Amino acid sequence: MNLSRRDFLKATGLSGIGLAMASLGLDMPKVKAAAKEFKLKGAREFTSICHFCACGCGVIGYVKDDKLVQLEGAVDSPINRGALCSKGLGYGHIPNSKERAQKPLYRAPGSDHWEEISWEEAIDKAAHAMKNAREKGWKQTEEIDGKTYEVRRTDGLSFIGGSQINNEECYQNIKMARALGVVYIDNQTRVCHANTPPALGAAFGRGAMTNPWADIKNTHLIWIEGSNLAECHPMGLKNVMAAREKNGSKIVHVDTRFTRTSKVADEFFQVRPGTDIVFMGYIIHEMLESGKFNKEYVLQNTNGACLLRDDFKFDDGLFSGYDAEKKAYTNTETWGYALGADGKPQKAKDLFAPNTVMSRLKEFYSRYTLEMVENITGMKAEDAKRAASIWIENDKPAIIMYALGMTQHTVGVQNIRCFTIMQLLKGNVGIPGAGIIAMRGQPNVQASTDFGIEFNMQPGYLVHPTHKTPTLEKWTEAFGTFRRKWYVNMTKAWFGEHATPENGYGFDYGAIRNGNHPDSIYAIFEDAWKGTMHALYLCGQNPQMTNANLTMVHDGLCKMDSLIVQDIFVNETAEFWNRPGDNPSEIQTEVIFLPACSYLEREGTITNSMRLIQWRMQGPKPVGDSKPDYIINDMLWKRIRELYKDSTEKKDEPIKYMSWNYSQDNYIEDVMKEISGYNVATGELVNGIGELKDNGETASGMWIYAGYISREGNRTKRRGQEDPGDIGIFPQFGWVWPDNIHILYNRASCNPDGTPKDKEHPLVWWDAAAGKWTGYDVPDVGNRTAGPDTPDGQKPFRMNGEGIGRLFAATYKDKNPDGMTRDASSTPVDGPLPEFYEPVESPTHNALHKNELAQFNPCVKYPRVPEKQPLGTKDKFPYVLTSSGIAEHWCSGTVTRNIPWLNELVKEPFVEISEQLAKKLSIKEGDKVKVSSARGAVVVKAMVTKRAQPLTVNGEETHMVWMPYSWGFKGLAKGPSTNYLTIDALDPNTQEQEFKACLVNIVKA
Ligand code: SF4
């Protein structure tokens, strides 16, 4: 692309040059317009979606002679309105980058170099490697808890990836994995936002961001906690600024360090890493004590008045039902409701009657005093008081925005649960300018999660069967007939005529997981180290950079037979055998590299953080011999199927029967049709979820996307600019799952009779004359003709079994009249209410509990591989390390460290320390220092700043240090990887690691 360094700096707002020229009298707009016109003459225009964070900004590209000549922000995108951040614009370098892999490559066992091979050879080697690993690790039966189960799965082959590829490619990958019986499958969400779906889901029923980016302008208070929005989601900040401009909205930033986001905020509050629950628990306590919460909303829309069982207990850090030997809550019955004769939760008239959810909540958080906040978080009492008052006194719509500062903890799910409680108490869910903005950080990590590229899920957030749910009937008992319908549609789409009522509509072709073993991205390398995982297929992810405790990853890879990497650059994982200091001849893993093309070179759809699905057009031609991922997937699957074509074994039937009928000239839209859904007899597409049947008459690969391509056409291509109600919804721009509902739970914006609560800002309402729900958004109701006086018209949170929001995440199954489960609500495994526990590596004791079992989350199992997972203690590692991304580099840096302009802006990693710590250690700005943890050590430069400040914690001065993590030994800019230091202790709900808090030491190098 013809973009000079100067152009780049100007376009990203990093230079004052344009301003200076204008002040000399030059008419810059005219000069720029003329230059652009000349440059773009004869060029073909195309639109796509940015490939970094999940804001999902629209881009416009221009192609001449099959090459990209210009990339800029799309003005019609409601998210970025023509702007792009430094990364988004910088990507324009990638299609023409000389660093791109252009040929398939092979690294033989023990070899110290790559050899170029043909595509045919590469695909053949990859298919054989996958088949061999599958067979080597095949388990037809398994004894679990003393009983033998048919499990029909492989423990020898694993899949990682999905957040960098398009939706249709995600779907191909999950179909391949499931047909092969692979259960060790994961994507980038595991290390960034795995904690979001179970946390939001436990409260609201769905696990996704509630409101659109452009709706942020309607808010009056923006509460950003655990996110450096300004650097990591810059266009999210653009929408925040729109709210400030329109409403004078206050911006509050709560974080472990002062950042560029703090700089634009009105208020900044610092907490020690890993202690947010104490701070938020105090705010909840203050709301309940002062009575300043939305009583009407709590009564109408939440389980606040529901009665709990009287045998529910919480004692010195442990809820009832804890098994210390298993480090788990093995009996969670006591976390349930007092049920009436009809099996439904009983409700009290008075919110604070004994044993109501609200009275339990009040009692539970009474321990979260100002004194506790000061001792544990290090925040001064007067600051905590002011923060609580800002939250409590605001009675207009407020939003909470968060990212990895909240998720990457061993209490990550419970961190986010605190947000749900704060928002439900305030009546801030289901209305414009409110809700919870869970900011995803990878371009398609939302969809790779939607598509169930995870060990524990199937597409559409359907739980993967385990030994506890090995048949469709048992699975339905656990998760309900409501979700059974979507499961049946999925397996019907996968197995077609072979999906019959006799085999549970194809359920019986699927693998059964061992429910006692989480098969996550961490288990893949641990089990490889133990010798049972033999091959990994990796698509657009770089775990040798992005996992915690990288030594574990490296040493696991060394023990695999084969590694297959599909990417646009040869990254650190692909070349792990060539890590500086390693001897390649001692590493016997073969590596097959499949060169994929960049996002600008292929078509398909992508889903951003707000669930908006947008179409990407193809721009330039793929560079060299690189290919779109969907074509590589197609070649790979057809070769694997070929290898099994003569098999007569039952275990290979899913491979032979898995549907794969996509035409070459309309490949992507054919895949879309299968995902969206159709009538099996006629092939007619469905228009939405409501048309899916539960008896095999329809098939839909993933129910939540039903309707994204429909009888009306490909809705993801729409670019309509209408915004009825001026809310920021833009219903005709792309398509939002589910059913194009932009503000989730919007029934909660109405009174019980269906009239809008806020008459000046209506969102949806019951139209009595027409006999249906209607409004500016698609109403979030199960049946649009079920009036507000019917049970179906009174479920603001219809995806929960109770139909209401859950302040207390009780165990609950809603039953059909025949006694079968209709729907089951989900409850975190570590408790129905968020409780504070220290990080696994902590500089202090847990001031809330004396119980040793409750020093850190009592459900965390760590270390899992003792010889590879040492724990550091404060005497040797006195400082708290937190790590994150920065504006100029992104994730593992695979792409950004190959963009020269971004390397020029920030070229190497560093550690930020306070002036006080620098003085104590006699370190000056720019000195080389050795940062070490119990797991590894790196040498980087010190950045000494005033913004880093020590805190007083439990009476002792405590120092926090910070490091960005995007450097490794590949790419144009190289540097030591921070993740050799970080700890792979995991949240027990999800197996997400504690990146945000571990212990380190620092000495001058
Ligand atoms: S804000 Fe995110 S999606 Fe938008 S241009 Fe920047 S990196 Fe790309």
Side-chain angles (χ1 to χ4, degrees):
M1 189 177 69
N2 189 12
L3 181 69
S4 70
R5 171 185 170 277
R6 179 176 294 186
D7 289 339
F8 176 76
L9 294 175
K10 268 198 298 190
T12 57
L14 293 164
S15 161
I17 293 168
L19 201 62
M21 304 262 284
S23 68
L24 291 174
L26 273 173
D27 184 348
M28 287 308 291
K30 271 192 192 162
V31 173
K32 275 200 260 181
K36 186 174 159 189
E37 192 188 331
F38 179 69
K39 184 171 155 188
L40 302 184
K41 207 160 184 182
R44 176 172 64 82
E45 185 180 287
F46 70 99
T47 58
S48 190
I49 307 303
C50 176
H51 199 65
F52 290 111
C53 81
C55 281
C57 296
V59 302
I60 299 180
Y62 296 88
V63 176
K64 242 190 214 177
D65 302 327
D66 293 331
K67 285 201 175 303
L68 184 77
V69 291
Q70 173 92 1
L71 189 69
E72 57 194 43
V75 179
D76 67 346
S77 165
I79 299 156
N80 56 312
R81 289 288 177 217
L84 289 179
C85 74
S86 54
K87 289 187 285 264
L89 190 65
Y91 199 98
H93 174 78
I94 296 300
N96 302 320
S97 165
K98 292 191 177 44
E99 312 304 318
R100 287 259 304 268
Q102 302 197 10
K103 299 259 183 221
L105 302 169
Y106 182 68
R107 183 262 175 180
S111 169
D112 63 358
H113 64 275
W114 292 105
E115 9 174 330
E116 285 185 3
I117 55 175
S118 68
W119 267 109
E120 202 185 7
E121 245 184 302
I123 292 293
D124 190 57
K125 278 184 187 296
H128 272 103
M130 289 166 82
K131 180 171 189 267
N132 292 343
R134 175 185 188 254
E135 301 308 320
K136 219 166 144 180
W138 188 260
K139 275 194 178 130
Q140 192 62 31
T141 58
E142 185 180 24
E143 195 182 307
I144 308 170
D145 297 337
K147 200 174 154 197
T148 302
Y149 295 87
E150 178 161 312
V151 294
R152 45 182 189 269
R153 65 162 201 263
T154 180
D155 287 350
L157 173 62
S158 49
F159 273 47
I160 296 178
S163 58
Q164 301 284 306
I165 54 179
N166 289 335
N167 292 336
E168 296 68 33
E169 294 159 344
C170 285
Y171 184 65
Q172 286 176 308
N173 276 1
I174 197 70
K175 283 179 69 176
M176 282 198 266
R178 295 308 184 212
L180 287 164
V182 169
V183 292
Y184 285 75
I185 179 165
D186 228 330
N187 78 89
Q188 184 72 16
T189 198
R190 185 68 47 212
V191 296
C192 50
H193 259 286
N195 284 331
T196 285
L200 297 182
F204 305 150
R206 300 188 186 96
M209 176 161 153
T210 57
N211 290 45
W213 290 115
D215 163 61
I216 294 173
K217 70 174 182 182
N218 298 311
T219 197
H220 291 259
L221 173 62
I222 298 139
W223 189 275
I224 305 164
E225 186 161 349
S227 154
N228 183 2
L229 179 63
E231 298 204 49
C232 298
H233 296 88
M235 293 305 136
L237 184 67
K238 185 178 160 80
N239 287 287
V240 165
M241 291 306 174
R244 179 185 263 176
E245 205 169 297
K246 181 172 172 242
N247 309 318
S249 315
K250 200 176 192 92
I251 304 173
V252 172
H253 187 217
V254 184
D255 216 331
T256 57
R257 61 191 192 98
F258 189 94
T259 64
R260 291 184 196 173
T261 304
S262 327
K263 196 156 188 305
V264 298
D266 299 293
E267 297 271 3
F268 170 67
F269 299 101
Q270 187 183 1
V271 292
R272 174 167 63 95
T275 63
D276 296 79
I277 289 176
V278 181
F279 172 64
M280 292 186 280
Y282 164 67
I283 294 177
I284 294 167
H285 160 73
E286 283 292 313
M287 286 165 90
L288 297 173
E289 282 299 319
S290 64
K292 289 184 177 169
F293 60 91
N294 190 331
K295 294 184 188 68
E296 195 186 319
Y297 186 97
V298 168
L299 265 172
Q300 184 191 329
N301 295 317
T302 79
N303 65 356
C306 292
L307 291 165
L308 293 169
R309 283 170 59 134
D310 51 17
D311 51 0
F312 167 71
K313 298 266 176 316
F314 179 78
D315 186 21
D316 201 12
L318 298 175
F319 296 95
S320 37
Y322 186 69
D323 181 332
E325 205 176 306
K326 294 195 167 144
K327 291 195 171 194
Y329 290 99
T330 49
N331 181 357
T332 58
E333 265 178 44
T334 57
W335 304 0
Y337 298 109
L339 300 175
D342 58 356
K344 311 278 179 202
Q346 289 183 303
K347 274 190 174 181
K349 287 210 172 69
D350 173 6
L351 270 180
F352 289 99
N355 261 352
T356 60
V357 162
M358 285 295 272
S359 65
R360 287 289 198 162
L361 205 62
K362 192 170 174 183
E363 182 194 341
F364 190 83
Y365 287 107
S366 63
R367 297 170 295 125
Y368 286 70
T369 59
L370 207 49
E371 189 192 355
M372 280 297 167
V373 176
E374 193 164 48
N375 278 340
I376 297 174
T377 69
M379 188 186 296
K380 291 204 167 52
E382 64 263 29
D383 290 340
K385 229 173 161 173
R386 195 170 75 257
S389 149
I390 293 169
W391 178 259
I392 292 168
E393 298 303 329
N394 170 61
D395 56 6
K396 291 189 170 155
I399 54 164
I400 293 179
M401 305 178 81
Y402 77 92
L404 310 188
M406 281 294 111
T407 57
Q408 292 176 332
H409 294 277
T410 46
V411 291
V413 165
Q414 302 291 4
N415 272 341
I416 303 156
R417 280 276 298 133
C418 288
F419 290 152
T420 66
I421 295 172
M422 285 164 68
Q423 285 294 52
L424 285 173
L425 287 175
K426 272 288 183 187
N428 264 329
V429 187
I431 63 172
I436 296 186
I437 309 295
M439 293 179 283
R440 296 287 195 145
Q442 296 247 331
N444 212 19
V445 73
Q446 179 63 52
S448 48
T449 315
D450 297 344
F451 278 96
I453 303 188
E454 296 185 271
F455 68 93
N456 52 341
M457 286 288 161
Q458 294 279 32
Y461 301 94
L462 304 172
V463 176
H464 192 290
T466 69
H467 68 285
K468 292 177 185 154
T469 55
T471 61
L472 182 57
E473 202 187 340
K474 289 256 181 239
W475 190 94
T476 308
E477 273 171 27
F479 305 110
T481 49
F482 173 68
R483 286 166 214 275
R484 175 191 183 276
K485 187 197 267 194
W486 322 128
Y487 208 108
V488 165
N489 272 277
M490 175 185 77
T491 44
K492 188 73 189 164
W494 289 359
F495 300 112
E497 60 181 356
H498 300 285
T500 62
E502 292 70 41
N503 61 23
Y505 296 98
F507 186 98
D508 297 348
Y509 289 126
I512 301 298
R513 289 186 49 238
N514 179 338
N516 301 333
H517 182 275
D519 316 310
S520 76
I521 197 169
Y522 285 96
I524 287 171
F525 301 106
E526 289 165 12
D527 290 350
W529 169 252
K530 292 174 193 160
T532 55
M533 174 56 65
H534 310 298
L536 166 63
Y537 164 76
L538 186 65
C539 179
Q541 198 165 321
N542 193 359
Q544 184 59 71
M545 283 288 301
T546 52
N547 268 36
N549 190 8
L550 292 181
T551 304
M552 182 76 256
V553 176
H554 178 269
D555 295 357
L557 284 168
C558 288
K559 290 212 179 183
M560 286 189 186
D561 297 337
S562 310
L563 170 67
I564 300 136
V565 180
Q566 190 167 312
D567 213 312
I568 63 172
F569 290 101
V570 175
N571 60 24
E572 284 79 1
T573 309
E575 214 166 292
F576 77 95
W577 44 273
N578 207 16
R579 186 179 64 164
D582 282 352
N583 181 354
S585 68
E586 291 173 357
I587 300 172
Q588 299 306 310
T589 315
E590 69 163 355
V591 187
I592 302 137
F593 186 86
L594 308 172
C597 67
S598 81
Y599 87 91
L600 294 164
E601 295 154 45
R602 64 190 203 272
E603 66 175 13
T605 68
I606 182 163
T607 308
N608 75 356
S609 217
M610 58 166 273
R611 302 167 277 110
L612 173 67
I613 311 174
Q614 302 180 81
W615 179 257
R616 284 171 147 178
M617 291 167 71
Q618 188 193 339
K621 270 194 176 167
V623 167
D625 272 354
S626 68
K627 290 184 189 297
D629 291 273
Y630 72 87
I631 291 182
I632 303 174
N633 292 347
D634 190 70
M635 289 161 63
L636 190 55
W637 181 244
K638 284 176 176 162
R639 185 69 191 113
I640 291 171
R641 216 173 43 185
E642 177 105 357
L643 297 181
Y644 281 97
K645 75 175 189 316
D646 296 326
S647 168
T648 52
E649 288 191 62
K650 196 158 175 46
K651 75 178 178 51
D652 301 332
E653 285 179 353
I655 299 174
K656 299 204 298 186
Y657 298 158
M658 180 60 83
S659 62
W660 203 274
N661 306 309
Y662 314 121
S663 64
Q664 289 310 310
D665 53 352
N666 201 25
Y667 197 103
I668 293 297
E669 290 203 345
D670 281 357
V671 180
M672 287 178 74
K673 287 171 187 170
E674 183 181 315
I675 295 169
S676 180
Y678 55 92
N679 181 297
V680 171
T682 65
E684 187 177 55
L685 293 179
V686 299
N687 268 347
I689 297 169
E691 294 181 19
L692 297 177
K693 306 271 190 286
D694 64 0
N695 58 1
E697 280 180 26
T698 56
S700 164
M702 185 166 73
W703 68 286
I704 57 174
Y705 282 29
Y708 88 129
I709 188 166
S710 70
R711 295 193 292 279
E712 290 173 7
N714 184 343
R715 288 161 162 166
T716 69
K717 289 181 174 172
R718 304 182 309 171
R719 301 187 82 89
Q721 296 295 301
E722 312 78 37
D723 183 20
D726 190 26
I727 294 168
I729 284 177
F730 300 97
Q732 303 294 324
F733 191 91
W735 192 86
V736 164
W737 76 258
D739 271 336
N740 215 28
I741 299 168
H742 286 69
I743 298 183
L744 296 176
Y745 323 110
N746 55 36
R747 167 66 175 91
S749 70
C750 296
N751 292 307
D753 66 1
T755 54
K757 276 188 205 295
D758 183 345
K759 302 232 170 342
E760 282 176 33
H761 304 102
L763 177 61
V764 297
W765 54 90
W766 171 252
D767 181 340
K772 61 174 189 180
W773 289 94
T774 187
Y776 297 131
D777 196 2
V778 175
D780 192 359
V781 293
N783 174 355
R784 289 188 196 138
T785 59
D789 52 347
T790 66
D792 269 356
Q794 294 169 353
K795 290 184 175 171
F797 294 86
R798 64 189 169 105
M799 301 296 289
N800 283 333
E802 303 92 322
I804 46 181
R806 288 153 48 88
L807 292 159
F808 183 99
T811 48
Y812 179 63
K813 283 180 184 171
D814 191 51
K815 299 283 173 77
N816 289 314
D818 64 1
M820 178 53 111
T821 307
R822 186 195 66 80
D823 199 7
S825 299
S826 89
T827 300
V829 301
D830 51 355
L833 288 173
E835 173 64 8
F836 166 73
Y837 302 103
E838 285 287 339
V840 170
E841 273 188 353
S842 163
T844 191
H845 64 280
N846 188 336
L848 269 169
H849 311 299
K850 291 198 176 62
N851 187 349
E852 272 181 28
L853 290 172
Q855 163 67 14
F856 60 82
N857 189 330
C859 298
V860 168
K861 298 176 178 77
Y862 193 82
R864 301 171 302 276
V865 184
E867 72 275 23
K868 291 278 159 196
Q869 293 168 331
L871 265 170
T873 48
K874 188 188 157 191
D875 51 335
K876 292 198 185 99
F877 303 99
Y879 312 120
V880 178
L881 170 71
T882 194
S883 58
S884 72
I886 53 173
E888 296 78 9
H889 286 288
W890 179 75
C891 204
S892 74
T894 304
V895 174
T896 52
R897 282 186 291 110
N898 278 306
I899 299 175
W901 313 310
L902 296 178
N903 290 333
E904 195 176 334
L905 294 172
V906 185
K907 65 177 182 188
E908 61 183 312
F910 51 88
V911 58
E912 181 180 36
I913 60 176
S914 66
E915 288 181 342
Q916 294 89 328
L917 184 58
K919 192 170 167 205
K920 185 173 160 185
L921 302 175
S922 303
I923 291 168
K924 291 194 301 303
E925 170 84 8
D927 278 355
K928 285 204 164 171
V929 295
K930 181 172 153 191
V931 187
S932 57
S933 75
R935 293 156 293 281
V938 298
V939 174
V940 292
K941 282 186 186 156
M943 181 169 92
V944 181
T945 68
K946 282 196 196 316
R947 67 179 185 176
Q949 287 290 325
L951 295 170
T952 304
V953 173
N954 288 328
E956 279 187 48
E957 185 180 69
T958 305
H959 290 275
M960 274 73 57
V961 302
W962 168 70
M963 291 178 76
Y965 73 98
S966 299
W967 282 265
F969 59 89
K970 295 291 293 174
L972 291 174
K974 300 175 178 58
S977 305
T978 303
N979 281 331
Y980 279 102
L981 307 173
T982 51
I983 187 167
D984 46 352
L986 309 174
D987 183 300
N989 290 284
T990 60
Q991 311 298 301
E992 178 164 358
Q993 73 298 316
E994 193 149 58
F995 269 156
K996 297 303 185 209
C998 70
L999 293 181
V1000 294
N1001 191 22
I1002 299 181
V1003 292
K1004 221 167 160 176

